Amino acid sequence: MAASETTGSARQARIGEALKAAFHAELASPGDDAVKIRVCAGTTCNASGRAALSDALAAELEKRGLSDRVKVVLTGCHGLCQEGPIVVVHPQGVFYPRLKASDIAEIVETSVVGDGIVERLLYVDAASGERVALEKDIPFYKRQTRIVRDINGFIDPTSIDDYLARGGYRALAQVLIDDDPEGVIDEVERSGLRGRGGAGFPTGKKWRFCRQNPGERHYVICNGDEGDPGAFMDRAVLEDNPHSLIEGMLIAAFAIGGDEGYIYVRHEYPLAVARLRQALAQARERGLLGDDILGSGFSFDIRINQGAGAFVCGESTALTASLEGRRGMPRGKHIRTVAHGLWGQPTNLNNVESYANVPWIVTHGAEAFAAIGTATSKGTKIFSLTGKVRNTGLVEVPMGATLREVIYDIGGGLREGREFKAVQLGGPSGGCLPAELLDEPVDFESLTAAGAMMGSGGMVVVDDTTCMVDFAKFFLQFTAEESCGKCVPCRIGTTRMLEILERISAGEGTVADVERLERLADDVIEGSLCALGGSAPNPVLTTLRYFRDEVMEHVVNRRCPAKVCRPLIRYTIDPEACTGCHLCLTACPAHAISGEAKQVHVIDQKLCIKCDTCRQVCKFDAIPVETGILAVAEGRQQ
Amino acid sequence: MARNGGNGKGRTEPKGSALYEVLKGIDFEKRELLDKTKGVGLFDLVKDRDGGYRCYACTLCERTCPVDCIEIDYCPEFEELPFDVEAERAAMQAMQPEIDMKLFDGVIARIREGAGLIEAFHTTQETYGYLPRRALEEIAAEMKLPFSRVYGVASFYSQFRLKPVGKHIISVCMGTACHVAGAPLIAEALAQELDITVGETTPDLQFTLQTVNCIGSCALAPAVRVGEDETYGRVTPQQARKLVRTLRKKEA
């Protein structure tokens, strides 16, 4: 007993020392109470002109001789992507959105040299119309509960020291000191963490199965093949805080007895791949990855594998097939990945977000995690809120928050003058929920009962300008294209369903078509091996369940109420409003508009390709879109 | 009564049906007959009366097997093929554009470092901009895989291109957020301006137009990406057209 206690404390001291040695405090960015400027360098801010901004900032600081004193930190995504490029000035924490290079001099003068605030550049809360100075006071941030994205936006994702300075890798050290893999699994199981990839399988249980299954090697795989269109939560973790994922995977590997790890990332995320490569190299260099991690005797290494644009590879068995260098086609689920996964060995496969939750659970304890959320869904969930809301970006909320809280309180509601129509959850596997369900809590069970699903966390809000038939068609087009073709009901069924939807949106559908659509949907769900086919009809089914009237409007009255379905609409020029300004005439790519200057213009319906350009360029709202039998008939006559 | 399969679920086949005739000969009580560990229940190919195999290697069984236990391989033992393999290969080669094989050493090096097939493709595509047939053949030889396997994998993934691409690759994001913001109109405008359809390359090898499934810039919807890292957000069809014209001007 005494002997094991001494070796135990010797182990503790050794690992503690190793962790201390891995941390180079002098390389870390200064804390939030020091003078520094955080510049968001997330993908969206980069695309909004961040590079020119940070160049201007560096030049301005240089000019004033402040380069040494004021540190500029390029952080990961701040989440409020709508307002990019974002700059936050410390120690006050003043938040400046949508900056231009020309604003920099004023900010440096007022907020960095002085401690004032440039009033005119502040964020304006769209809901209340008030200016908000500090980042932490902005409603978008105030109402979130951040576990996974806790320090994202505060640290430099390219610096391992920033992560270590904020308590990074301490959970790993703790686990290595305790040296009790079963205990880690117990902890994760008690926390109630469920897979964040969509299906919601209990993570602890999966780890236990994997550990128990015998095999030559145990593999730990991270699924970063975030293929859902309209979802970018995983990308944010990979780009903004890659070390949290690596630490989570290390803890999982220790608990399971893993020998080798793989991270499967989409090829469409070049920045995420670069950040991961860098993070892995840093972790290896500091002895946090590779052989004999922190002197504990535990060895584990991680490789990156890039996908190649196949949505189905987000499915676990297809992903392992792809890792093995084969076509990414799923297989029957009666052979479990935890028993026969990669190369036929026991394999644990979790989503990025699932792993990123693990260090927090170890540090704060299972009880703290289980205290957040609902009875069956614990912790938080990141959603990428996009579409027609005011604040698009990444939001992290406790499980069980209502859709209304996410869309209105955090998202700020719909954009000016727009009316909420539906929210799409779970991408091509999920469904559209109408306004009546806005008070529905967001957790695994409630969403499935409503016909949608959690999915990986895409949340797209649409208004009355989106046609639900067209929307369902979009998702079905996606799944029909992405179906790997193995199961006939999925390969052919989705195509047939798509054809029916195309008929309906062309105004050629019949009532029998709608019934056939429902029957086919059941067959596709029943006859598919994997979740892609098993959930592909969901968007169509929820559309029929909640927006049947709109579908029937297409079928019976040949009208598209949202004025989207092209065969059912017609562009006209309102003679009262037209000023003959020639704008539409010059913009029309089909040369379908004619008219003398300052005279009312006309659209030649035979030439019009309904590309919407004229309506967009018109400054006088003089191009109304018509729909309905009359409009179509007139269009054909001309 | 004969029962279907060894799963004991007991679906009954109608008397006189073809399946009934087959199944009635099997004693389902002695299920060990189907135990693969005893060597029973393994695959054999059906032969015709003249001794030839009926299998056409259509690979349908490989593709649809729910447990992925079948793999169709090119087998060099069958020497008598109905066509001249070498001549076919030479003809194929002649149709392909010449590529600089010196650049291929990088790919070989990656493979020897332990890169998998898909990683090798990525490296090849980074080198040549697409996957030339010649390169695929070399990869097959290096990795000792049948060419059919290599080609099958290359054609499965939408990111791999089997044809040369233009200097500027214009990717229109087709994610959900971009779709509701009018991405199809952008793709259409670009296709019209470039006078090609989506997925094609202009004859002067300047532009390739493609659609991608969500680049994750949903806050900037609709988004268009040129090359690897130039992203344009909140694009209108007019701006899209202008973008092409500006790029053209730069080249001229």
Side-chain angles (χ1 to χ4, degrees), chain A residues 33-295:
Chain A
D33 45 6
V35 183
K36 67 167 178 182
I37 301 170
R38 280 193 287 135
V39 180
C40 178
T43 296
T44 308
C45 282
N46 280 349
S48 312
R50 191 272 309 163
L53 202 67
S54 40
D55 285 350
L57 187 57
E60 184 67 28
L61 291 175
E62 182 71 55
K63 202 173 86 188
R64 290 169 182 266
L66 290 169
S67 298
D68 297 329
R69 206 162 62 77
V70 182
K71 177 109 167 80
V72 177
V73 186
L74 291 181
T75 69
C77 178
H78 286 222
L80 190 49
C81 304
Q82 180 79 31
E83 299 294 325
I86 292 168
V87 166
V88 182
V89 181
H90 281 276
Q92 309 96 308
V94 186
F95 182 86
Y96 292 112
R98 295 194 188 227
L99 283 191
K100 289 183 203 68
S102 53
D103 300 327
I104 288 295
E106 196 178 344
I107 287 177
V108 172
E109 173 69 42
T110 321
S111 287
V112 181
V113 179
D115 57 356
I117 289 165
V118 186
E119 199 69 31
R120 73 172 178 97
L121 294 173
L122 288 183
Y123 171 78
V124 181
D125 177 32
S128 65
E130 281 170 20
R131 290 186 187 279
V132 186
L134 303 185
E135 184 175 28
K136 59 178 169 45
D137 292 335
I138 293 172
F140 179 81
Y141 291 111
K142 218 161 65 179
R143 291 172 195 261
Q144 295 189 41
T145 306
R146 295 171 50 142
I147 289 183
V148 176
R149 290 183 48 75
D150 188 16
I151 55 173
N152 294 19
F154 290 92
I155 58 166
D156 177 356
T158 61
S159 156
I160 189 172
D161 294 299
D162 272 22
Y163 184 63
L164 284 162
R166 303 234 175 201
Y169 288 107
R170 227 169 275 168
L172 173 69
Q174 189 56 48
V175 164
L176 293 175
I177 289 167
D178 293 346
D179 202 14
D180 177 15
E182 297 273 358
V184 179
I185 297 181
D186 287 340
E187 187 84 8
V188 174
E189 211 163 12
R190 265 189 297 126
S191 75
L193 176 65
R194 294 170 67 177
R196 295 295 194 249
F201 191 81
T203 306
K205 213 165 160 188
K206 193 186 262 183
W207 290 13
R208 194 176 300 281
F209 286 149
C210 188
R211 183 177 172 80
Q212 282 162 355
N213 281 313
E216 283 166 35
R217 292 178 86 75
H218 284 64
Y219 290 102
V220 175
I221 302 180
C222 170
N223 183 351
D225 192 50
E226 188 176 46
D228 275 21
F232 52 101
M233 301 77 45
D234 293 349
R235 191 198 66 187
V237 175
L238 295 168
E239 286 181 2
D240 307 342
N241 198 353
H243 287 288
S244 67
L245 167 66
I246 296 172
E247 189 178 1
M249 281 181 80
L250 279 163
I251 294 171
F254 179 76
I256 290 158
D259 304 279
E260 219 176 318
Y262 287 93
I263 303 176
Y264 191 93
V265 199
R266 286 180 84 198
H267 187 249
E268 287 90 334
Y269 291 170
L271 184 62
V273 175
R275 291 264 165 88
L276 267 178
R277 283 225 169 96
Q278 194 179 14
L280 288 173
Q282 285 170 345
R284 244 175 246 133
E285 189 195 306
R286 302 283 174 90
L288 293 159
L289 191 67
D291 291 333
D292 192 18
I293 292 166
L294 293 175

Side-chain angles (χ1 to χ4, degrees), chain B:
Chain B
M1 202 65 198
R3 278 186 287 141
N4 179 10
N7 60 8
K9 274 189 186 161
R11 211 174 84 193
T12 316
E13 293 300 329
K15 218 169 182 175
S17 72
L19 192 54
Y20 175 84
E21 293 302 316
V22 177
L23 293 175
K24 74 177 178 187
I26 302 173
D27 182 358
F28 283 100
E29 298 309 312
K30 294 184 180 172
R31 205 165 303 156
E32 71 268 19
L33 266 182
L34 298 164
D35 187 348
K36 67 175 178 184
T37 56
K38 298 201 173 143
V40 188
L42 289 177
F43 291 99
D44 200 1
L45 294 177
V46 175
K47 280 181 189 163
D48 277 333
R49 214 173 283 166
D50 58 4
Y53 285 107
R54 251 187 228 179
C55 175
Y56 278 86
C58 69
T59 72
L60 205 62
C61 58
E62 181 194 33
R63 252 183 285 160
T64 53
C65 174
V67 292
D68 283 354
C69 70
I70 306 174
E71 200 170 286
I72 313 285
D73 246 4
Y74 167 68
C75 178
E77 285 159 37
F78 296 114
E79 273 163 12
E80 279 175 45
L81 286 166
F83 52 88
D84 184 351
V85 181
E86 288 308 316
E88 291 271 323
R89 195 170 286 165
M92 269 312 238
Q93 288 289 0
M95 278 165 62
Q96 301 300 317
E98 281 292 310
I99 58 164
D100 185 357
M101 286 311 287
K102 257 181 260 151
L103 298 171
F104 195 69
D105 293 344
V107 182
I108 298 284
R110 293 282 294 161
I111 294 171
R112 295 198 177 144
E113 275 168 26
L117 194 51
I118 292 169
E119 223 176 314
F121 288 162
H122 276 305
T123 321
T124 311
Q125 192 153 292
E126 274 158 32
T127 315
Y128 297 107
Y130 73 111
L131 301 180
R133 192 185 162 95
R134 176 84 196 279
L136 291 182
E137 282 172 0
E138 293 294 326
I139 291 172
E142 177 64 32
M143 297 183 88
K144 299 192 176 55
L145 290 170
F147 181 71
S148 57
R149 258 287 291 287
V150 174
Y151 190 81
V153 175
S155 57
F156 180 85
Y157 295 95
S158 61
Q159 290 264 312
F160 296 130
R161 296 177 289 254
L162 299 166
K163 280 187 195 149
V165 283
K167 194 171 164 193
H168 304 283
I169 300 171
I170 304 181
S171 314
V172 184
C173 178
M174 283 289 169
T176 317
C178 289
H179 177 84
V180 297
L185 300 174
I186 309 295
E188 212 177 80
L190 284 167
Q192 217 182 23
E193 187 66 37
L194 292 165
D195 201 18
I196 50 174
T197 58
V198 171
E200 283 185 346
T201 302
T202 51
D204 59 356
L205 286 183
Q206 283 295 329
F207 296 96
T208 296
L209 179 64
Q210 61 177 21
T211 55
V212 288
N213 295 330
C214 199
I215 54 173
S217 293
C218 306
L220 296 175
V224 172
R225 189 150 75 184
V226 179
E228 279 279 302
D229 43 30
E230 234 179 286
T231 310
Y232 298 86
R234 300 184 188 111
V235 181
T236 63
Q238 275 227 304
Q239 284 170 350
R241 287 199 181 90
K242 219 175 263 169
L243 176 67
V244 172
R245 280 178 223 142
T246 331
L247 285 172
R248 273 225 180 96
K249 235 177 244 162
K250 235 191 261 170
E251 288 305 321

Side-chain angles (χ1 to χ4, degrees), chain A residues 2 68 180 190 236 243 293 305 331 351 355 390 436 480 493 498 531 535 537 549 615:
Chain A
D68 297 329
D180 177 15
R190 265 189 297 126
H243 287 288
I293 292 166
N305 261 66
R331 59 163 200 220
N351 171 266
Y355 282 123
R390 282 206 175 102
E436 298 94 86
L498 180 61
S535 62
D549 289 351
R615 199 187 57 80

